Amino acid sequence: MILKLRGSPWSLLNQEVQEVTRDIGKSLAALSLANTEVLSQISDQVLKLQNEMQRVELEASHSQLQIVDKLNQGIRDQKRDQGFANDMLEEIARAVGVAVEPSEISKELASFRREKEEAANRKERAEVFFLEQVIELLSRADAARDYEEVKKQYRQRRQVIERYDDREEYIPPLNSFLCCICRSVMTDPVSLCTGTTCERDAIIAWLDSGKRTDPETGEVLEDVSLRSNLLLRQSIEEWRELNYCLNIRSSEAKLSSDVDSSVEEALSQMQYLLGESSINKDWVSIGGLTDRVINILGRSHNRDVKRKILITLKDIVEGHARNKEKVFDSGGWDHIIPCLGRDSSISKAAVELLYELLQERSGWNVSVCRKLSQQCSAIIFLVTLLKGLQRESAQTAEKILMKLFEIDEENISRAAKAGWYKPLIDRIVQGPRSSRMSMVRTIVNTELTDSNLRLLGAEGVIPPLLEMTSGNLESKELSLSALVKLSGCHANKELFAAAGGVPLVWKLMFDPHVLTVIVVKCSEILEKLTSEDDGIKFFVDEGGAQLELELIITDLLALQQKANSAHNFRRPALRTLLGICKFEAGLVKKAVLTADAVSLVLPLLDDSDSEIREIAINLLFLFSQHEPQGVVEYLLKPRRLEALVGFLENEDKGDVQMAAAGLLANLPKSEGPLTMKLIELDGIDAILKILRTGTIEAKENALSALFRFSDPTNIKSQRILVERGAYPLLVNFLRAGSLTAKARAAALIGTLSMSSPKLTVVKSSSCWCFRPSGNPLCPAHGGICSVTDTFCLLEAKALPDLVKLLSEEEHATAYEAIQTLSTLILDGSPQRGANVLHKADAIKPILETLTWGMNSLKEEALGLLENVFVQKEMVECYGSTARGLLVGLTAGRKVHEDDHLGRKAAKVLTLLERYSRSSTSFPPGL
C-alpha cells in the first residue's frame, strides 16, 4: 500500500517513505525503534523526500501530501494510539485505491521486503534495521494477517500445549524474560553494551535519572546506546502465545460445564485475553469460544452470565469484521436482540454490542443495518430503551434508530407503532411530500391511544395535514383520514378549530367537484367535533368566531335529500346534525320551522340502514318538541307505529330507547287513536321494560311516555297500565330514582290516585276513624281499596316514600309529592285524608316547605293545608307552628289580586284564627 509515483527517478525513495509512513501509521501501538537516532533519521528522511519531490516537480495529489504531513507529524509526536493507526490506514487506502484486506497487504509487504534487500545491497544499515522492524510489525497487524496463516499459527501453539496437563493454565516465565530493573516480563527488551537486557522504558528512565551504571552488574556504562533484542522478544512473544492457548483451552472446558460460576470465570479469562493481544480476537473464534458463548447467551437464564457474555462479545467483535460476520452466521441476532428488552444492565450491554456490530471501518455498515431493519422486534426494543431511564442506553438506541430511519423510512413508521412519534412528526411537519404521505399513512393504519393522538396534535401535525387537503385525491383522502382519527381526541378538537379546520372542511364537503369519499371523511370529522357533548363549541373560524350554524343545519338536511347518497355518506352527516341539535334548542326550533326538518327526517325511519333509522329517531325526538303533529300523522300510517315500538324494545341501544320514549312523551296525549294503537301493539309492556332495565335517561323519558296511559279521563288505559305492573315500579322510583324520575313517578301516582275516589265503593260508618284495625275499609277513601281495582296509593305503599320526598328539600320532587298527597283530601270528606296525612307524619314537612320552597311549591302546600285545617283537631295540633310560618309569609305585604301566595296564606291563617282559643291580631293589611 504505497503512494507510488511511477516513471520518476525518485520512485524508489518515494515508495520507501510512503511505505515507512504507512507502516508507522498502522503499527505505532507496538512499534519499538532501536534508538532515538533512528526515529530522527526517519523524520529527516520524510522531510528530505518532500523536498526532493518538490525539486523535481512531482505531481502528488493534495490528499497524498496531506497523508505525508500527518505521518510526519505522527512521527514527531510519537503517536502510538490505535485510532491514529486506523485513520492513517484508511486514508492511505483511499488515496492509492487499495482495499484494506489481506491479499492486497501481502503484495505490499512483499514490496517492502524487496526494498529491504535493495537497502542491504546499498549497505544502508539504519534503513535495513528499520525496515526489518516495520515488516515484522506489519506482518502481525490485523489487516496484514492472512487468516489461514493465523489459523496455522494457532494450531501450532495448541499442539505445543497438548503436552501440558489439562488443569494447567499458566506457564511460568524464564528468568531471562524478566527485566532486572522492574522484575516483570519484558515487552520491548533492549541490550546494553555490557550485554545486560532490560525493558526499554525502564532503562530509559534509569538513564534519564542520571545513572550510568549497569542496573544488574553495577558496571559503568561507556556506551549508553540501546539495541533491540529481537530474538528474546520473539521468545517472550511465543511464551505469551502459549499461555494464551492455555487460557483458551481452559475457557473452553469451563464453558462446556454449564455451571454458571465456571462460565463467568471463562468469560473473565476471555476478556483478559482480548485485552492482552489483538491476535486473540482471531484465536478465541478459531478455538470455538465465540460460537459457544453465543449458544449460552440463548439458553442461559442467569442475568449476570448474560450481561457478561454481551460485554465479552463486544470485545470480540470490536473493530474486527470477521468476528462480526461470525456472530451473524452463528445466529447471534436471535439471541442479542431479545436482550434489549431485559433489565437495564443487560439491555445496556446488548445495545452497546449491537451498535458495534453495525459499525465498519468507514462508519455504519449499511448492509447489516438493512438486515437489522428486517428484525421487527429490534425496533420495538430500541424504542423501549430510548424511552427508558438509562441515559447511555437511550442515547445509543437513538443513534441506531436514526441510522435505520435514514436507510428505510418504513422504520420511522415501525418506531411510531412502537410508541416513538417524534421522527414521524418531524417528517410530517418538515419532510418532503413523499415522506409526508408515507408518515400520514402510518397514522391512518396504526392503533393509537388517546394519549398518542394528543401527543401528535400537540407536536403540530394538524396544520400540515390541513395543508395536504389542497393536494391531489390521494393527498386529500390520506390527510382527511388522519384528521378523522386525530379529531377523536378531545384535546385535538380545539387545535383543529384554531387552525381554521372547520370552515376548510365544510367548504370541501360541499364542493360539487369532490368525490364522495372526500365528503364522507369531511362528515366524519365534523361528527367527531360534535361528540362527547361538545355540541357547537368547535364550530368556529380561525379567529374563534361562531360559524353560521343555521346554514350548516340546512346544508346537512339537504344532503339527506340526495337520492344517490350512500349510507356511509349520510350517516356521519346525520350524526353531525344530531350532535349540533342536541345542545342547541334554538337551532332545533329554527330547523323545524324554516327547513322543514321533520318532513325531511321522517322518511329516514324507513331506511334500510339500521344506524340511519336510529339517528333519525333521535332527531325526531328533538324535533317533535316543536312540531309533534306531523309526527303523529306519520306514525298512524301502516307499520310505522310497529317500528316505533321496535325502537322501544331495542335493549342494545339505550339512546334509541331514550329517543323513542321521549318522542312518545312529546306527542299530544289527546291523540286517543295513537294511545289505543300503542296498547294493542304492547307499547306499555315495552315502556315498562325500559323502566326495569333501561338507562337512566331512557327511564326518565319512559316515565314521561306513561302519562299518555295514566290520563284520569281514560280509566281503561289506567287499568291496563296498573294491571301490567306499573305501580310497584313507580313506587321503586320514589325510593331510588334520579331526581327527574322521582318527580315523574310521583306525578304518575298522582294521576292514578285521582281516579281512586271514583272507583271506591264507600261504606257508611260513624266514627270511621275509630274502627278496629282489622277493618278492611280504606282510611282515605272510606271503602274497600286495592292497587288493581282502585289504584289506591295507600295500598301500593307509596305514602311513606311520598312523605320522604318532602324532607329531601328538592323543589321538583316536593311539588309533585304535594300534588299527589292532595289527591287524598276529598272534597266531601277532607277529614279522612287529613287524618291519613297526620298519621303518616306528612303535615310537618308540608309546613316546612313554606320555609325553603319556591313560590309555586308554597302555593301547592298552602292549597293542601287549606283543606287540612278545616278540621279543628288539626288546627290544635299544628296551629302554633303554622301560624308563625304564615305570618312570615303575610307580614309587611299588601294582599292584592295578583298576589296568589299572599292571598292563600291569609286564607289559611283565617282558618287557624277561626279555631284558635286565643285571639291573635291580623298583620297590617289583612
PDB file of all heavy atoms in Angstrom, residues 817-845:
ATOM      1  N   ALA A 817     -94.926  15.624  44.861  1.00  0.00           N
ATOM      2  CA  ALA A 817     -95.378  14.851  46.024  1.00  0.00           C
ATOM      3  C   ALA A 817     -96.581  15.512  46.683  1.00  0.00           C
ATOM      4  O   ALA A 817     -97.564  14.841  47.059  1.00  0.00           O
ATOM      5  CB  ALA A 817     -94.225  14.709  47.024  1.00  0.00           C
ATOM      6  N   ILE A 818     -96.538  16.851  46.836  1.00  0.00           N
ATOM      7  CA  ILE A 818     -97.667  17.559  47.470  1.00  0.00           C
ATOM      8  C   ILE A 818     -98.914  17.456  46.608  1.00  0.00           C
ATOM      9  O   ILE A 818    -100.034  17.251  47.106  1.00  0.00           O
ATOM     10  CB  ILE A 818     -97.279  19.019  47.734  1.00  0.00           C
ATOM     11  CG1 ILE A 818     -96.279  19.085  48.895  1.00  0.00           C
ATOM     12  CG2 ILE A 818     -98.505  19.868  48.036  1.00  0.00           C
ATOM     13  CD1 ILE A 818     -95.782  20.470  49.224  1.00  0.00           C
ATOM     14  N   GLN A 819     -98.726  17.567  45.277  1.00  0.00           N
ATOM     15  CA  GLN A 819     -99.897  17.424  44.394  1.00  0.00           C
ATOM     16  C   GLN A 819    -100.523  16.037  44.548  1.00  0.00           C
ATOM     17  O   GLN A 819    -101.746  15.896  44.567  1.00  0.00           O
ATOM     18  CB  GLN A 819     -99.480  17.671  42.948  1.00  0.00           C
ATOM     19  CG  GLN A 819     -99.308  19.149  42.599  1.00  0.00           C
ATOM     20  CD  GLN A 819     -99.426  19.382  41.097  1.00  0.00           C
ATOM     21  OE1 GLN A 819     -99.018  18.560  40.308  1.00  0.00           O
ATOM     22  NE2 GLN A 819    -100.016  20.509  40.731  1.00  0.00           N
ATOM     23  N   THR A 820     -99.660  15.025  44.633  1.00  0.00           N
ATOM     24  CA  THR A 820    -100.173  13.666  44.765  1.00  0.00           C
ATOM     25  C   THR A 820    -100.824  13.445  46.132  1.00  0.00           C
ATOM     26  O   THR A 820    -101.900  12.827  46.247  1.00  0.00           O
ATOM     27  CB  THR A 820     -99.035  12.648  44.554  1.00  0.00           C
ATOM     28  OG1 THR A 820     -98.518  12.825  43.233  1.00  0.00           O
ATOM     29  CG2 THR A 820     -99.519  11.219  44.726  1.00  0.00           C
ATOM     30  N   LEU A 821    -100.225  13.976  47.188  1.00  0.00           N
ATOM     31  CA  LEU A 821    -100.817  13.863  48.523  1.00  0.00           C
ATOM     32  C   LEU A 821    -102.163  14.577  48.596  1.00  0.00           C
ATOM     33  O   LEU A 821    -103.061  14.176  49.346  1.00  0.00           O
ATOM     34  CB  LEU A 821     -99.856  14.431  49.573  1.00  0.00           C
ATOM     35  CG  LEU A 821     -98.555  13.645  49.793  1.00  0.00           C
ATOM     36  CD1 LEU A 821     -97.644  14.389  50.750  1.00  0.00           C
ATOM     37  CD2 LEU A 821     -98.859  12.246  50.326  1.00  0.00           C
ATOM     38  N   SER A 822    -102.288  15.636  47.808  1.00  0.00           N
ATOM     39  CA  SER A 822    -103.551  16.387  47.798  1.00  0.00           C
ATOM     40  C   SER A 822    -104.708  15.544  47.287  1.00  0.00           C
ATOM     41  O   SER A 822    -105.880  15.825  47.590  1.00  0.00           O
ATOM     42  CB  SER A 822    -103.400  17.642  46.927  1.00  0.00           C
ATOM     43  OG  SER A 822    -102.407  18.504  47.462  1.00  0.00           O
ATOM     44  N   THR A 823    -104.385  14.479  46.490  1.00  0.00           N
ATOM     45  CA  THR A 823    -105.474  13.635  45.961  1.00  0.00           C
ATOM     46  C   THR A 823    -106.145  12.828  47.072  1.00  0.00           C
ATOM     47  O   THR A 823    -107.226  12.263  46.872  1.00  0.00           O
ATOM     48  CB  THR A 823    -104.940  12.661  44.890  1.00  0.00           C
ATOM     49  OG1 THR A 823    -103.975  11.782  45.484  1.00  0.00           O
ATOM     50  CG2 THR A 823    -104.296  13.419  43.740  1.00  0.00           C
ATOM     51  N   LEU A 824    -105.508  12.772  48.245  1.00  0.00           N
ATOM     52  CA  LEU A 824    -106.108  12.051  49.375  1.00  0.00           C
ATOM     53  C   LEU A 824    -107.133  12.904  50.117  1.00  0.00           C
ATOM     54  O   LEU A 824    -107.932  12.380  50.904  1.00  0.00           O
ATOM     55  CB  LEU A 824    -105.011  11.610  50.357  1.00  0.00           C
ATOM     56  CG  LEU A 824    -103.980  10.605  49.819  1.00  0.00           C
ATOM     57  CD1 LEU A 824    -102.894  10.350  50.850  1.00  0.00           C
ATOM     58  CD2 LEU A 824    -104.669   9.294  49.428  1.00  0.00           C
ATOM     59  N   ILE A 825    -107.088  14.222  49.913  1.00  0.00           N
ATOM     60  CA  ILE A 825    -108.033  15.117  50.582  1.00  0.00           C
ATOM     61  C   ILE A 825    -109.246  15.271  49.669  1.00  0.00           C
ATOM     62  O   ILE A 825    -109.224  16.004  48.678  1.00  0.00           O
ATOM     63  CB  ILE A 825    -107.391  16.493  50.847  1.00  0.00           C
ATOM     64  CG1 ILE A 825    -106.027  16.341  51.534  1.00  0.00           C
ATOM     65  CG2 ILE A 825    -108.318  17.362  51.660  1.00  0.00           C
ATOM     66  CD1 ILE A 825    -106.102  15.790  52.920  1.00  0.00           C
ATOM     67  N   LEU A 826    -110.304  14.559  49.993  1.00  0.00           N
ATOM     68  CA  LEU A 826    -111.500  14.558  49.137  1.00  0.00           C
ATOM     69  C   LEU A 826    -112.404  15.729  49.494  1.00  0.00           C
ATOM     70  O   LEU A 826    -112.503  16.135  50.666  1.00  0.00           O
ATOM     71  CB  LEU A 826    -112.248  13.239  49.315  1.00  0.00           C
ATOM     72  CG  LEU A 826    -111.392  11.967  49.089  1.00  0.00           C
ATOM     73  CD1 LEU A 826    -112.251  10.724  49.283  1.00  0.00           C
ATOM     74  CD2 LEU A 826    -110.772  11.990  47.701  1.00  0.00           C
ATOM     75  N   ASP A 827    -113.087  16.237  48.472  1.00  0.00           N
ATOM     76  CA  ASP A 827    -113.933  17.419  48.679  1.00  0.00           C
ATOM     77  C   ASP A 827    -115.034  17.155  49.713  1.00  0.00           C
ATOM     78  O   ASP A 827    -115.314  17.991  50.565  1.00  0.00           O
ATOM     79  CB  ASP A 827    -114.558  17.849  47.349  1.00  0.00           C
ATOM     80  CG  ASP A 827    -113.503  18.420  46.402  1.00  0.00           C
ATOM     81  OD1 ASP A 827    -112.422  18.825  46.912  1.00  0.00           O
ATOM     82  OD2 ASP A 827    -113.725  18.443  45.183  1.00  0.00           O
ATOM     83  N   GLY A 828    -115.654  16.015  49.639  1.00  0.00           N
ATOM     84  CA  GLY A 828    -116.778  15.747  50.539  1.00  0.00           C
ATOM     85  C   GLY A 828    -116.359  15.419  51.948  1.00  0.00           C
ATOM     86  O   GLY A 828    -117.097  15.671  52.903  1.00  0.00           O
ATOM     87  N   SER A 829    -115.209  14.842  52.103  1.00  0.00           N
ATOM     88  CA  SER A 829    -114.773  14.420  53.451  1.00  0.00           C
ATOM     89  C   SER A 829    -113.264  14.612  53.570  1.00  0.00           C
ATOM     90  O   SER A 829    -112.509  13.638  53.558  1.00  0.00           O
ATOM     91  CB  SER A 829    -115.146  12.950  53.678  1.00  0.00           C
ATOM     92  OG  SER A 829    -114.639  12.154  52.615  1.00  0.00           O
ATOM     93  N   PRO A 830    -112.843  15.854  53.700  1.00  0.00           N
ATOM     94  CA  PRO A 830    -111.403  16.106  53.802  1.00  0.00           C
ATOM     95  C   PRO A 830    -110.790  15.564  55.094  1.00  0.00           C
ATOM     96  O   PRO A 830    -109.575  15.381  55.179  1.00  0.00           O
ATOM     97  CB  PRO A 830    -111.315  17.633  53.757  1.00  0.00           C
ATOM     98  CG  PRO A 830    -112.647  18.118  54.244  1.00  0.00           C
ATOM     99  CD  PRO A 830    -113.640  17.104  53.768  1.00  0.00           C
ATOM    100  N   GLN A 831    -111.665  15.324  56.119  1.00  0.00           N
ATOM    101  CA  GLN A 831    -111.114  14.877  57.397  1.00  0.00           C
ATOM    102  C   GLN A 831    -110.354  13.558  57.271  1.00  0.00           C
ATOM    103  O   GLN A 831    -109.346  13.342  57.934  1.00  0.00           O
ATOM    104  CB  GLN A 831    -112.253  14.703  58.432  1.00  0.00           C
ATOM    105  CG  GLN A 831    -112.988  15.976  58.761  1.00  0.00           C
ATOM    106  CD  GLN A 831    -114.151  16.225  57.788  1.00  0.00           C
ATOM    107  OE1 GLN A 831    -114.254  15.540  56.759  1.00  0.00           O
ATOM    108  NE2 GLN A 831    -114.996  17.193  58.119  1.00  0.00           N
ATOM    109  N   ARG A 832    -110.893  12.614  56.424  1.00  0.00           N
ATOM    110  CA  ARG A 832    -110.233  11.312  56.297  1.00  0.00           C
ATOM    111  C   ARG A 832    -108.811  11.472  55.761  1.00  0.00           C
ATOM    112  O   ARG A 832    -107.850  10.920  56.295  1.00  0.00           O
ATOM    113  CB  ARG A 832    -111.047  10.390  55.371  1.00  0.00           C
ATOM    114  CG  ARG A 832    -112.295   9.816  56.023  1.00  0.00           C
ATOM    115  CD  ARG A 832    -112.752   8.564  55.300  1.00  0.00           C
ATOM    116  NE  ARG A 832    -113.049   8.813  53.891  1.00  0.00           N
ATOM    117  CZ  ARG A 832    -114.288   9.022  53.420  1.00  0.00           C
ATOM    118  NH1 ARG A 832    -115.316   9.039  54.247  1.00  0.00           N
ATOM    119  NH2 ARG A 832    -114.478   9.213  52.140  1.00  0.00           N
ATOM    120  N   GLY A 833    -108.686  12.226  54.699  1.00  0.00           N
ATOM    121  CA  GLY A 833    -107.363  12.424  54.108  1.00  0.00           C
ATOM    122  C   GLY A 833    -106.424  13.156  55.042  1.00  0.00           C
ATOM    123  O   GLY A 833    -105.232  12.819  55.155  1.00  0.00           O
ATOM    124  N   ALA A 834    -106.953  14.189  55.755  1.00  0.00           N
ATOM    125  CA  ALA A 834    -106.121  14.948  56.684  1.00  0.00           C
ATOM    126  C   ALA A 834    -105.616  14.042  57.794  1.00  0.00           C
ATOM    127  O   ALA A 834    -104.443  14.128  58.218  1.00  0.00           O
ATOM    128  CB  ALA A 834    -106.922  16.114  57.261  1.00  0.00           C
ATOM    129  N   ASN A 835    -106.494  13.160  58.274  1.00  0.00           N
ATOM    130  CA  ASN A 835    -106.095  12.246  59.333  1.00  0.00           C
ATOM    131  C   ASN A 835    -105.024  11.269  58.858  1.00  0.00           C
ATOM    132  O   ASN A 835    -104.085  10.922  59.576  1.00  0.00           O
ATOM    133  CB  ASN A 835    -107.326  11.481  59.840  1.00  0.00           C
ATOM    134  CG  ASN A 835    -107.054  10.828  61.187  1.00  0.00           C
ATOM    135  OD1 ASN A 835    -106.443  11.422  62.072  1.00  0.00           O
ATOM    136  ND2 ASN A 835    -107.506   9.590  61.330  1.00  0.00           N
ATOM    137  N   VAL A 836    -105.159  10.811  57.578  1.00  0.00           N
ATOM    138  CA  VAL A 836    -104.151   9.908  56.996  1.00  0.00           C
ATOM    139  C   VAL A 836    -102.791  10.603  56.932  1.00  0.00           C
ATOM    140  O   VAL A 836    -101.761  10.030  57.292  1.00  0.00           O
ATOM    141  CB  VAL A 836    -104.595   9.434  55.597  1.00  0.00           C
ATOM    142  CG1 VAL A 836    -103.447   8.747  54.873  1.00  0.00           C
ATOM    143  CG2 VAL A 836    -105.780   8.492  55.710  1.00  0.00           C
ATOM    144  N   LEU A 837    -102.807  11.856  56.499  1.00  0.00           N
ATOM    145  CA  LEU A 837    -101.549  12.610  56.404  1.00  0.00           C
ATOM    146  C   LEU A 837    -100.954  12.838  57.797  1.00  0.00           C
ATOM    147  O   LEU A 837     -99.738  12.803  57.979  1.00  0.00           O
ATOM    148  CB  LEU A 837    -101.784  13.946  55.708  1.00  0.00           C
ATOM    149  CG  LEU A 837    -102.190  13.877  54.226  1.00  0.00           C
ATOM    150  CD1 LEU A 837    -102.416  15.276  53.677  1.00  0.00           C
ATOM    151  CD2 LEU A 837    -101.136  13.151  53.408  1.00  0.00           C
ATOM    152  N   HIS A 838    -101.813  13.107  58.761  1.00  0.00           N
ATOM    153  CA  HIS A 838    -101.349  13.309  60.136  1.00  0.00           C
ATOM    154  C   HIS A 838    -100.663  12.046  60.670  1.00  0.00           C
ATOM    155  O   HIS A 838     -99.557  12.123  61.235  1.00  0.00           O
ATOM    156  CB  HIS A 838    -102.540  13.683  61.022  1.00  0.00           C
ATOM    157  CG  HIS A 838    -102.253  13.590  62.482  1.00  0.00           C
ATOM    158  ND1 HIS A 838    -101.372  14.429  63.132  1.00  0.00           N
ATOM    159  CD2 HIS A 838    -102.731  12.722  63.434  1.00  0.00           C
ATOM    160  CE1 HIS A 838    -101.318  14.103  64.400  1.00  0.00           C
ATOM    161  NE2 HIS A 838    -102.149  13.069  64.614  1.00  0.00           N
ATOM    162  N   LYS A 839    -101.312  10.881  60.470  1.00  0.00           N
ATOM    163  CA  LYS A 839    -100.725   9.637  60.947  1.00  0.00           C
ATOM    164  C   LYS A 839     -99.431   9.277  60.208  1.00  0.00           C
ATOM    165  O   LYS A 839     -98.569   8.595  60.746  1.00  0.00           O
ATOM    166  CB  LYS A 839    -101.737   8.493  60.812  1.00  0.00           C
ATOM    167  CG  LYS A 839    -102.895   8.608  61.797  1.00  0.00           C
ATOM    168  CD  LYS A 839    -103.852   7.430  61.644  1.00  0.00           C
ATOM    169  CE  LYS A 839    -104.978   7.529  62.680  1.00  0.00           C
ATOM    170  NZ  LYS A 839    -105.922   6.399  62.564  1.00  0.00           N
ATOM    171  N   ALA A 840     -99.303   9.753  58.974  1.00  0.00           N
ATOM    172  CA  ALA A 840     -98.095   9.476  58.184  1.00  0.00           C
ATOM    173  C   ALA A 840     -96.998  10.502  58.436  1.00  0.00           C
ATOM    174  O   ALA A 840     -95.968  10.489  57.760  1.00  0.00           O
ATOM    175  CB  ALA A 840     -98.448   9.439  56.700  1.00  0.00           C
ATOM    176  N   ASP A 841     -97.230  11.432  59.402  1.00  0.00           N
ATOM    177  CA  ASP A 841     -96.266  12.488  59.711  1.00  0.00           C
ATOM    178  C   ASP A 841     -95.938  13.339  58.488  1.00  0.00           C
ATOM    179  O   ASP A 841     -94.791  13.746  58.265  1.00  0.00           O
ATOM    180  CB  ASP A 841     -94.965  11.899  60.270  1.00  0.00           C
ATOM    181  CG  ASP A 841     -95.166  11.254  61.628  1.00  0.00           C
ATOM    182  OD1 ASP A 841     -95.984  11.784  62.404  1.00  0.00           O
ATOM    183  OD2 ASP A 841     -94.500  10.235  61.907  1.00  0.00           O
ATOM    184  N   ALA A 842     -96.963  13.618  57.689  1.00  0.00           N
ATOM    185  CA  ALA A 842     -96.751  14.386  56.459  1.00  0.00           C
ATOM    186  C   ALA A 842     -96.977  15.875  56.661  1.00  0.00           C
ATOM    187  O   ALA A 842     -96.458  16.695  55.897  1.00  0.00           O
ATOM    188  CB  ALA A 842     -97.681  13.873  55.365  1.00  0.00           C
ATOM    189  N   ILE A 843     -97.774  16.276  57.688  1.00  0.00           N
ATOM    190  CA  ILE A 843     -98.144  17.686  57.839  1.00  0.00           C
ATOM    191  C   ILE A 843     -96.922  18.554  58.146  1.00  0.00           C
ATOM    192  O   ILE A 843     -96.744  19.629  57.563  1.00  0.00           O
ATOM    193  CB  ILE A 843     -99.196  17.852  58.954  1.00  0.00           C
ATOM    194  CG1 ILE A 843    -100.397  16.911  58.718  1.00  0.00           C
ATOM    195  CG2 ILE A 843     -99.642  19.299  59.040  1.00  0.00           C
ATOM    196  CD1 ILE A 843    -101.144  17.184  57.442  1.00  0.00           C
ATOM    197  N   LYS A 844     -96.067  18.086  59.018  1.00  0.00           N
ATOM    198  CA  LYS A 844     -94.903  18.893  59.403  1.00  0.00           C
ATOM    199  C   LYS A 844     -93.989  19.183  58.222  1.00  0.00           C
ATOM    200  O   LYS A 844     -93.612  20.345  57.998  1.00  0.00           O
ATOM    201  CB  LYS A 844     -94.142  18.181  60.532  1.00  0.00           C
ATOM    202  CG  LYS A 844     -92.988  19.012  61.081  1.00  0.00           C
ATOM    203  CD  LYS A 844     -92.289  18.298  62.219  1.00  0.00           C
ATOM    204  CE  LYS A 844     -91.108  19.138  62.723  1.00  0.00           C
ATOM    205  NZ  LYS A 844     -90.392  18.431  63.828  1.00  0.00           N
ATOM    206  N   PRO A 845     -93.567  18.176  57.416  1.00  0.00           N
ATOM    207  CA  PRO A 845     -92.704  18.503  56.269  1.00  0.00           C
ATOM    208  C   PRO A 845     -93.406  19.375  55.224  1.00  0.00           C
ATOM    209  O   PRO A 845     -92.745  20.145  54.522  1.00  0.00           O
ATOM    210  CB  PRO A 845     -92.319  17.137  55.688  1.00  0.00           C
ATOM    211  CG  PRO A 845     -93.274  16.167  56.270  1.00  0.00           C
ATOM    212  CD  PRO A 845     -93.694  16.710  57.595  1.00  0.00           C
TER     213      PRO A 845
END
